[in-house]
Structure formats: structure tokens, C-alpha cells
Amino acid sequence: MNIKATLHAMLPHAGLGHLLETYLTWSGVGFICSFIASSLDKHSDVPYAAYYTSALNDAVGFKFWILLAVVGTLLFCLSLPVLYLSLHFPAMTEFSRRLRRFTYTFFLVAFDEGGLMIGILTANFIDTSERISLLANKSFLFSDVGFFTILALCLLNSLLWLFGEAIHSRNEQTYSGVVALLMKVPLRFSIPGYIVVTAVLANLVVSQ
């Protein structure tokens, strides 16, 4: 299988159109809300304005996004061997399906939260006013967000979508993409690779 065919096979059933549509939806919401909150902040002495301005600070937490991503990734690691066993032991099929759907939920919520976060940070990057920068700093606990930081977050968030849609497709109720490729890897390669990757991920989680 050549590189082009491999990259195409890695795409889940949802397709890139779904990725783009979801990104535009959630990042657009975060982007627009940032400017609305920034405008309302000019009238922070008015009770309703202060209330809705503070809502942006509570909308998305960077650490909460990391928590969702970590839990989803660990469940993904657990789902793979269960899925493999279900292919050989039909009695485990239903358990595997439920576990994959549960794992997908964490990836889905993390991706949506990430989209909101990227929209807010993009607004902060475009509008460098003190008010909107302060809102972003309060929300995500870091400042001076640049283009490459936003790009890195986009890539990481896209990986959440890739793994989430691969482990469970809502319409077909099955797996696809990266997961389908992994299920075809011979055990002599997949088992050592699985152990190494899972150990590295577990070590990263514990060392935080």
C-alpha cells in the first residue's frame, strides 16, 4: 500500500468534510462569543454585562480539555485489544461496541471543547486589545498565544477527531480509519508496538 492509499485509509467514515464542518461550527461560536464578551466588557459596571462577560471565562478550561483528551486516549488504548478479541470471540462484540461508543464520547466532547478554545484564542490573536487578551488569559491560564500555538492546538485537536471517529462511527456503528488499519497489523508487530505506546502514554499521564 503506497503512502497516498495509506493516508486515505486512515480517514474515518465521517470524512474530512465532517472535520471541517465541526471545526467551523465550534471555533466560530468561540470566535464570535469572544468579541461579544469583549464588547460587553466595556460596560462591566452593568450587572448583565458583567454576568455574560464572565461566562466566557467559564466556557472552556484548558486543563479540562487535557483531562478529556487523556481519558479518551486511555480508553482508546483499552478499546483496541477488546475490539481485537471481539473479532475472534463474538460473545464480546456487544461489550466492545459499548466501550468504543463510550470512548468516542470523550473524544467528541474534547474535540468540541477544543474547537471552542481555538475560536477564542484565534479572536485573541486577531484582536490584540487588552480586554480580549485578559479574557483569554483568564480562560486558559497562559498568555501571548501566537500563530504556531494555535496551529499546534488545531493539530492535536484534529487527532482527537481522527481517533474518536475511527474507534466508533455513529452512522455505521462500527470502526474505521486508523483503527481498521491497526486491526490488520500482524500480532508480532502490533503487540510490541501497543505495549510501548501504552507504556509511554501512561508514563506521561503519571508524570504530570
Side-chain angles (χ1 to χ4, degrees):
M1 185 181 294
N2 56 39
I3 296 178
K4 184 177 180 180
T6 302
L7 292 176
H8 185 269
M10 290 175 64
L11 291 177
H13 287 155
L16 290 177
H18 178 265
L19 173 64
L20 180 60
E21 178 185 356
T22 311
Y23 252 133
L24 290 176
T25 299
W26 287 101
S27 61
V29 169
F31 186 85
I32 294 172
C33 286
S34 294
F35 283 101
I36 293 175
S38 178
S39 300
L40 288 174
D41 193 53
K42 299 175 183 178
H43 310 285
S44 57
D45 54 323
V46 181
Y48 80 87
Y51 176 83
Y52 289 111
T53 299
S54 64
L56 183 67
N57 297 333
D58 301 329
V60 184
F62 181 67
K63 290 184 177 180
F64 183 60
W65 176 73
I66 292 179
L67 175 63
L68 289 171
V70 167
V71 173
T73 303
L74 293 177
L75 286 173
F76 182 85
C77 292
L78 178 62
S79 298
L80 291 178
V82 174
L83 173 60
Y84 181 83
L85 290 174
S86 70
L87 298 177
H88 299 276
F89 302 98
M92 297 187 64
T93 300
E94 182 61 21
F95 173 70
S96 174
R97 187 184 66 82
R98 290 179 180 274
L99 179 59
R100 288 188 293 107
R101 185 171 61 182
F102 184 63
T103 302
Y104 167 78
T105 302
F106 278 90
F107 280 122
L108 175 67
V109 176
F111 177 75
D112 293 345
E113 290 270 332
L116 276 173
M117 181 170 63
I118 290 168
I120 295 172
L121 293 177
T122 302
N124 177 43
F125 178 71
I126 294 175
D127 185 351
T128 57
S129 66
E130 182 179 352
R131 286 188 178 88
I132 201 167
S133 296
L134 182 60
L135 289 171
N137 295 346
K138 287 181 179 179
S139 297
F140 307 118
L141 304 179
F142 51 79
S143 57
D144 299 326
V145 177
F147 172 77
F148 291 105
T149 302
I150 296 174
L151 180 61
L153 288 172
C154 286
L155 292 175
L156 290 174
N157 208 45
S158 297
L159 286 177
L160 297 179
W161 173 86
L162 182 69
F163 291 135
E165 291 292 337
I167 198 67
H168 179 74
S169 299
R170 285 173 293 179
N171 296 332
E172 291 80 6
Q173 296 292 308
T174 185
Y175 59 93
S176 61
V178 176
V179 175
L181 290 177
L182 290 175
M183 291 299 106
K184 298 177 182 178
V185 177
L187 287 179
R188 65 179 182 275
F189 299 120
S190 61
I191 291 179
Y194 174 82
I195 293 175
V196 170
V197 172
T198 304
V200 170
L201 288 174
N203 183 64
L204 289 175
V205 172
V206 173
S207 62
Q208 293 301 314

